Amino acid sequence: MALLNTNLKPVEGFSRLPKEKQIEYLSSLFDNPARVRRLIDLFSIQDTEFQKRFDEFSENTLASYPLPFGIAPNFNINGSIYHIPMVIEESSVVAAAANAAKFWLKRGGFHTRVISTVKKGQVHFISDAPPEQLKEFEEDLEYFLKLRLKPLTARMENRGGGLKKIKIVSSIDKIANYYQLDVDFDTVDSMGANFINSCLEEMATGLTEYFAQHLPGKNLEIIMSILSNYVPDCLVEAKLEAPVALLAGIHPEITPQDFVRKFAIAIEIARQNISRAVTHNKGIMNGVDAVVLATGNDFRAVEAGVHAYAARDGQYKSLSTIDLSEGMFYYSLTLPLSLGTVGGLTNLHPMAAFALELLGNPSAKELMQIAAAAGLANNFSAVRALTTWGIQKGHMMMHLSNILNTLAATESEKVLAREHFNGHKVSYSAVELFLKKIRSAGA
Ligand code: MEV
């Protein structure tokens, strides 16, 4: 299937067309319009009420785009067992998480804690008022704005959160007359993006009024009001710890002492070398993002915040650290994670709601700890494989199904291939050759 003409002309008013007409228009661009329609039908939810709900999550929605929803069972987190839902397309991620969970189940499990839960937003403004004068008004302004925002914050305050602190930060040395209102929020169990942004826009109006009343003659220009996805004060920690001797059995030819020594060098490399650090952290985010997606949270916000945090002291580094003192293996991960378990998609997406039910309807703090444990599990599995048998053995074994499907293998060919490749190296050409052989033998 291909476009009839790759030189497309702009389309007017696409978002105003009813869905049926949008599909008709898009199909007409292809040499096989019936196939486009079949694809859209195939990936539209049969329950039209649900599909309508999905349509309304976004704009110009034509169909749904399924990703695998899997379970990494048997995570022992602080003594409780969780079967963790993960949404991810990469074949080996759920298996790697499940494998680490199983390994650590009998070795004390994952130890997690929330360090802090402050989220931040900013009103960026320009003013010719000098910083000392603005500082003088800071406390009074905080009182004024908190009072003004009561109608917006009352419900959140009833839930134990709300608007916490307002500071005026001068950055006049970087941009002429540039200041920010730096605002701390606690959004309890919601991710809180809409709450924070509504508060900030109201604060910007309040700031304008405050200037008119208290700083006549000083100019004020609001540039923008928006939350920050950098959340270094919304932190969670996950840890693994065991006497080194307990790590026996990872590889028949490797002693636990040798295993941890090499493992620790790998972590040090990811702290010193940016090329390795990014890939190392990507392995952590395999686990974190899969939980974030499964529970209907915003993975772009999480990704942006986590990577900025990894570079917080000027050099991008591994997010996990290791300590081998006193014959122990201490492995830990600290992450900024702003997650919600109420609001947003969490209740509207039936699979996200199910994922949260499976986790026992956790609070946002509990979900932060579960996601961090999944991140550390995937990181442990990846570094363990990299420093022992290599990553490709497991990856390619998991990828075998994708190759078999690409080569249109039948169910009985798949059974034969899985048996064969249990003892042979998987590659696209090796699988192709194997299928060729069994097909010609059968012909
Ligand atoms: C692949 O998705 C993730 C790894 O590259 C992570 C790592 O290298 O640590 C295996």
Side-chain angles (χ1 to χ4, degrees), residues 41-52:
D41 283 349
L42 184 62
F43 291 105
S44 293
I45 301 167
Q46 295 310 308
D47 184 326
T48 46
E49 196 193 311
F50 268 141
Q51 183 57 54
K52 189 162 180 306

Side-chain angles (χ1 to χ4, degrees), residues 90 276 279-280 282-283 286 382 386 391 395:
E90 192 176 326
R276 174 59 202 148
T279 319
H280 178 97
K282 189 272 182 182
N286 275 343
L386 288 167
I391 206 77
H395 263 197

Side-chain angles (χ1 to χ4, degrees), residues 141-432:
L141 176 70
E142 176 169 3
Y143 180 77
F144 172 86
L145 289 177
K146 279 186 171 168
L147 203 64
R148 188 191 160 95
L149 264 81
K150 271 274 170 233
L152 275 180
T153 56
R155 271 187 61 205
M156 190 61 90
E157 278 162 15
N158 285 341
R159 285 160 44 199
L163 181 51
K164 295 296 166 191
K165 180 130 206 63
I166 304 175
K167 263 193 320 189
I168 299 174
V169 177
S170 160
S171 296
I172 56 173
D173 53 330
K174 299 193 177 82
I175 297 174
N177 297 340
Y178 165 48
Y179 296 91
Q180 307 123 45
L181 278 188
D182 254 36
V183 190
D184 288 352
F185 294 89
D186 181 343
T187 60
V188 200
D189 283 330
S190 63
M191 195 250 178
N194 280 331
F195 168 72
I196 294 177
N197 288 335
S198 299
C199 286
L200 292 169
E201 288 189 2
E202 187 57 32
M203 261 183 225
T205 313
L207 186 64
T208 311
E209 272 175 26
Y210 190 88
F211 258 65
Q213 281 173 28
H214 299 274
L215 292 121
K218 292 296 171 200
N219 89 343
L220 167 78
E221 187 184 5
I222 303 290
I223 304 297
M224 57 188 162
S225 312
I226 186 74
L227 64 74
S228 171
N229 290 123
Y230 186 50
V231 283
D233 294 315
C234 189
L235 283 185
V236 60
E237 179 189 59
K239 275 198 210 161
L240 291 168
E241 55 182 67
V244 169
L246 262 193
L247 272 69
I250 282 185
H251 192 283
E253 284 147 35
I254 305 174
T255 64
Q257 289 71 21
D258 248 357
F259 167 71
V260 298
R261 184 189 54 78
K262 208 168 157 193
F263 193 100
I265 297 173
I267 305 307
E268 190 51 28
I269 293 171
R271 292 195 76 70
Q272 300 301 338
N273 179 289
I274 183 168
S275 297
R276 174 59 202 148
V278 172
T279 319
H280 178 97
N281 289 344
K282 189 272 182 182
I284 293 170
M285 298 314 289
N286 275 343
V288 175
D289 280 339
V291 177
V292 169
L293 265 172
T295 55
N297 275 280
D298 181 344
F299 64 93
R300 287 89 54 214
V302 166
E303 281 282 333
V306 161
H307 295 292
Y309 184 75
R312 67 195 175 284
D313 55 14
Q315 188 196 328
Y316 187 96
K317 283 185 187 160
S318 151
L319 290 156
S320 54
T321 55
I322 190 160
D323 173 4
L324 295 181
S325 41
E326 291 158 15
M328 290 290 291
F329 176 83
Y330 296 109
Y331 192 42
S332 77
L333 169 67
T334 304
L335 282 179
L337 281 185
S338 168
L339 300 179
T341 54
V342 298
L345 278 201
T346 54
N347 321 89
L348 287 175
H349 193 306
M351 290 308 286
F354 170 64
L356 289 167
E357 277 158 20
L358 180 65
L359 293 171
N361 287 322
S363 64
K365 283 185 180 173
E366 284 162 338
L367 186 61
M368 286 164 76
Q369 296 174 76
I370 293 165
L376 189 59
N378 275 95
N379 183 224
F380 175 79
S381 278
V383 179
R384 177 180 57 174
L386 288 167
T387 54
T388 53
W389 49 81
I391 206 77
Q392 279 312 86
K393 188 169 170 237
H395 263 197
M396 291 312 284
M397 228 17 229
M398 295 303 301
H399 192 51
L400 178 60
S401 303
N402 291 343
I403 302 177
L404 288 167
N405 284 331
T406 309
L407 294 168
T410 62
E411 285 311 307
S412 56
E413 286 171 344
K414 285 180 187 173
V415 172
L416 292 175
R418 287 199 183 102
E419 254 169 45
H420 173 82
F421 284 102
N422 203 5
H424 293 87
K425 217 176 181 135
V426 179
S427 71
Y428 189 91
S429 51
V431 179
E432 199 171 30

